[in-house]
Amino acid sequence: MSPQMNIKRSILLIMCLFCSTVFAQEFRCGVSVNYQKLQSTTQQYETGDNKIFETMKRSIEEFVNNRHWTNLEMENQERIDCSINIILTQRTSATDFTGQISIQLRRPIYNSNYTSGLFNYLEGNNDLVFSFNESQPLEFDPNTFYDNLSSTLAYYCYIMLGIYFDSYGPNGGEPFFEMARNIAQVAGTTTRYKGWNSGDSQKARYWFMENHTNSAYEALHSVYYYYHRLGLDMMTKDQPQARQNIIQALRYLQQVHKKRTNLLSVTQFIDVKMAEIVSIFTPAPPQEQKTVYDIIKEISPINVPKMKDWNVK
C-alpha cells in the first residue's frame, strides 16, 4: 500500500465497502502452523499426520490471501504485509485442535525502506480451539458462524484492516472495526468457544473490537494517524514536526489510558512501538524526551527503564 494514500481514498473505501466489483486481494500474509508441541506428546499424533498440518497452512493462506475483504483496488506491491502463526498445543481427535494464534501486521513508511510494526499479538495459551477437516475449505460469511478457525481469522483480518487504514486517514479503519464487531457478536451468541465475550478473559480477542468501536476511546483512532501518517511518514521531510506529531499521538494514547487503565489496545500499542519510540527520541531535544518520558511513565511504567539513557531530570 502506497504510504501516499490520502483521506479521499479512505472515504471512498468506506462509501463503497462490499460493493460487487472485485479487485485485487488485500493481504500478503505469511502463514505457519507449528505442531512441535504435538510431536512431544501422544495426543493423537502420528508421523504420517504431517499432511493435515500442511493442508491447514495452505487453507489458511488461501483464506486470508485469496479472499476479497474490501472493494479497494490494490496493486500487488500494495498488498498488506502480515503474518499469522498457529501454535498447536493439543489434538483431542483427528480433526479437533487447541492452541494459540499469533498475529503480526507491518506498514511501509513513506520515502524509506523502513517497515514499522502496527500490530503484534499472541493470544493466551489454549485460547484457540477449533476443528479442521482437510476435505472442507474454510468458509466465511459475516452473519453466519461456520467454524471457530474461520471466524477467528476473519476477525483478525478486519482488526488488521482497521488499524492499517486508521494509520492513513482519520477514522479510516472504522468500517473494518465494525465488521470485527459483527463477527464477534455472531460468534459470541452462537457458540461457546472461548474469546468472543467480555467475560472470557482480559486478553480475549473480543476486547480489540470493543476498544476500537467504543466511543469513549475514540482518540485511539487518532493515535495511529498521528503516529504514522503525520509522524513516521513525515520523518524524511520535517523531523522536528514529525516528532511533535508522534508526541501528539502519545497524548491521544494517554487520553484513552485515563478513560480506562490497562486497556488491551493501549498495552498492545506500547508493546509494539516502545523500541521505535526510544529510537526516535534518543537524539531528540531534552524537553521532548521529558514529555515522552512522562507519558510512558504514566501509561506503561514497566517500560521506563528503556529510556534510561535519556537526558531526563
Side-chain angles (χ1 to χ4, degrees), residues 85-104:
N85 183 24
I86 304 294
I87 306 163
L88 300 176
T89 56
Q90 296 179 32
R91 186 179 186 182
T92 55
S93 76
T95 58
D96 295 316
F97 300 89
T98 299
Q100 293 175 278
I101 185 170
S102 172
I103 310 287
Q104 295 86 37

Side-chain angles (χ1 to χ4, degrees), residues 149-160:
L149 180 59
S150 62
S151 288
T152 299
L153 292 170
Y155 172 84
Y156 278 118
C157 281
Y158 282 114
I159 290 293
M160 287 192 289

Side-chain angles (χ1 to χ4, degrees), residues 118-124 127 155-156 159 163 195 197-198 200-212 217 220 224 253 256-257 259-272 299-300:
L118 270 174
F119 186 69
N120 189 346
Y121 190 67
L122 174 65
E123 281 195 353
D127 278 358
Y155 172 84
Y156 278 118
I159 290 293
I163 293 173
N197 292 294
S198 59
D200 290 339
S201 74
Q202 291 183 337
K203 292 189 66 176
R205 67 184 68 97
Y206 164 93
W207 289 111
F208 284 117
M209 167 280 296
E210 192 278 340
N211 293 171
H212 290 89
Y217 313 135
L220 191 61
Y224 297 107
L253 200 69
V256 177
H257 173 79
K259 294 278 187 177
R260 183 175 177 181
T261 60
N262 299 318
L263 201 70
L264 184 59
S265 291
V266 172
T267 301
Q268 192 277 148
F269 185 92
I270 292 296
D271 287 346
V272 174
I299 64 179
S300 185

Side-chain angles (χ1 to χ4, degrees), residues 174-185:
E174 181 179 359
F176 308 116
F177 291 124
E178 289 298 328
M179 283 298 300
R181 173 158 65 178
N182 186 71
I183 293 169
Q185 289 176 339

Side-chain angles (χ1 to χ4, degrees), residues 240-258:
Q241 183 58 55
R243 288 198 306 270
Q244 287 302 313
N245 291 336
I246 290 173
I247 289 174
Q248 181 58 50
L250 296 177
R251 289 194 175 109
Y252 282 129
L253 200 69
Q254 188 179 33
Q255 287 181 24
V256 177
H257 173 79
K258 289 180 184 296

Side-chain angles (χ1 to χ4, degrees), residues 48-276:
D49 286 343
N50 287 0
K51 180 176 176 293
I52 191 173
F53 306 125
E54 295 168 1
T55 304
M56 187 184 299
K57 174 182 181 296
R58 185 167 60 252
S59 295
I60 295 172
E61 286 177 337
E62 292 174 353
F63 182 81
V64 175
N65 292 326
N66 296 346
R67 183 173 298 272
H68 302 285
W69 300 98
T70 76
N71 76 321
L72 182 64
E73 184 176 3
M74 300 177 74
E75 300 293 337
N76 186 58
Q77 68 272 16
E78 293 179 326
R79 295 176 74 173
I80 298 169
D81 183 26
C82 63
S83 302
I84 294 175
N85 183 24
I86 304 294
I87 306 163
L88 300 176
T89 56
Q90 296 179 32
R91 186 179 186 182
T92 55
S93 76
T95 58
D96 295 316
F97 300 89
T98 299
Q100 293 175 278
I101 185 170
S102 172
I103 310 287
Q104 295 86 37
L105 172 65
R106 297 166 287 273
R107 178 196 191 279
I109 300 306
Y110 176 70
N111 202 26
S112 77
N113 294 321
Y114 180 63
T115 299
S116 179
L118 270 174
F119 186 69
N120 189 346
Y121 190 67
L122 174 65
E123 281 195 353
N125 190 34
N126 298 329
D127 278 358
L128 180 64
V129 180
F130 65 96
S131 296
F132 178 78
N133 191 322
E134 290 183 86
S135 63
Q136 295 179 355
L138 294 174
E139 298 184 68
F140 171 69
D141 181 281
N143 298 311
T144 303
F145 181 86
Y146 285 106
D147 63 84
N148 204 39
L149 180 59
S150 62
S151 288
T152 299
L153 292 170
Y155 172 84
Y156 278 118
C157 281
Y158 282 114
I159 290 293
M160 287 192 289
L161 285 166
I163 293 173
Y164 195 83
F165 284 103
D166 259 2
S167 78
Y168 281 103
N171 292 311
E174 181 179 359
F176 308 116
F177 291 124
E178 289 298 328
M179 283 298 300
R181 173 158 65 178
N182 186 71
I183 293 169
Q185 289 176 339
V186 170
T189 56
T190 60
T191 179
R192 295 183 179 181
Y193 283 110
K194 184 179 179 181
W196 295 114
N197 292 294
S198 59
D200 290 339
S201 74
Q202 291 183 337
K203 292 189 66 176
R205 67 184 68 97
Y206 164 93
W207 289 111
F208 284 117
M209 167 280 296
E210 192 278 340
N211 293 171
H212 290 89
T213 57
N214 189 329
S215 60
Y217 313 135
E218 186 176 0
L220 191 61
H221 302 282
S222 297
V223 172
Y224 297 107
Y225 179 60
Y226 272 79
Y227 188 99
H228 295 93
R229 188 68 190 96
L230 302 183
L232 294 183
D233 283 347
M234 292 277 292
M235 275 293 185
T236 57
K237 182 179 180 180
D238 187 343
Q239 284 196 24
Q241 183 58 55
R243 288 198 306 270
Q244 287 302 313
N245 291 336
I246 290 173
I247 289 174
Q248 181 58 50
L250 296 177
R251 289 194 175 109
Y252 282 129
L253 200 69
Q254 188 179 33
Q255 287 181 24
V256 177
H257 173 79
K258 289 180 184 296
K259 294 278 187 177
R260 183 175 177 181
T261 60
N262 299 318
L263 201 70
L264 184 59
S265 291
V266 172
T267 301
Q268 192 277 148
F269 185 92
I270 292 296
D271 287 346
V272 174
K273 293 299 187 182
M274 195 60 216
E276 190 173 75

